[in-house]
Amino acid sequence: MSVTQIGTYTAKLVDGPLEGKTISTDFTAGGEAQPRIMIPTDTPSKQYLYIRGRGIEFGEGSDADRRPRAVEYRFVQAVFE
């Protein structure tokens, strides 16, 4: 049995309360950058919602299925549970 490792990339948070920060996140099962990410805060009932922006950085190489090494994310809102 073979296990395919999807991998991770850097999410660059370009605005909002976490502006300038980066986090490591997983690709989707299909190998794409996440369309949206929820980031927990120090308050258990609060998270930040970020959506994928236009900025994408690729690493070196000429692989046919190159995946980005970094993707820009923009702040949408704070979510309270």
Side-chain angles (χ1 to χ4, degrees):
M1 180 157 104
S2 167
V3 176
T4 303
Q5 183 174 348
I6 300 299
T8 62
Y9 64 96
T10 299
K12 292 181 161 187
L13 310 175
V14 297
D15 59 7
L18 301 176
E19 180 177 356
K21 304 233 185 252
T22 62
I23 62 170
S24 179
T25 192
D26 295 327
F27 287 103
T28 65
E32 301 291 325
Q34 298 285 342
R36 57 188 260 163
I37 52 177
M38 296 292 287
I39 302 170
T41 67
D42 292 338
T43 305
S45 62
K46 178 180 170 185
Q47 296 184 41
Y48 294 130
L49 171 62
Y50 278 79
I51 60 170
R52 189 173 56 212
R54 298 183 76 139
I56 298 175
E57 295 175 19
F58 291 92
E60 299 294 321
S62 60
D63 297 340
D65 64 337
R66 281 191 348 183
R67 293 192 190 128
R69 67 176 180 170
V71 177
E72 173 184 285
Y73 282 83
R74 298 206 166 268
F75 179 72
V76 176
Q77 66 184 12
V79 178
F80 297 89
E81 297 176 356

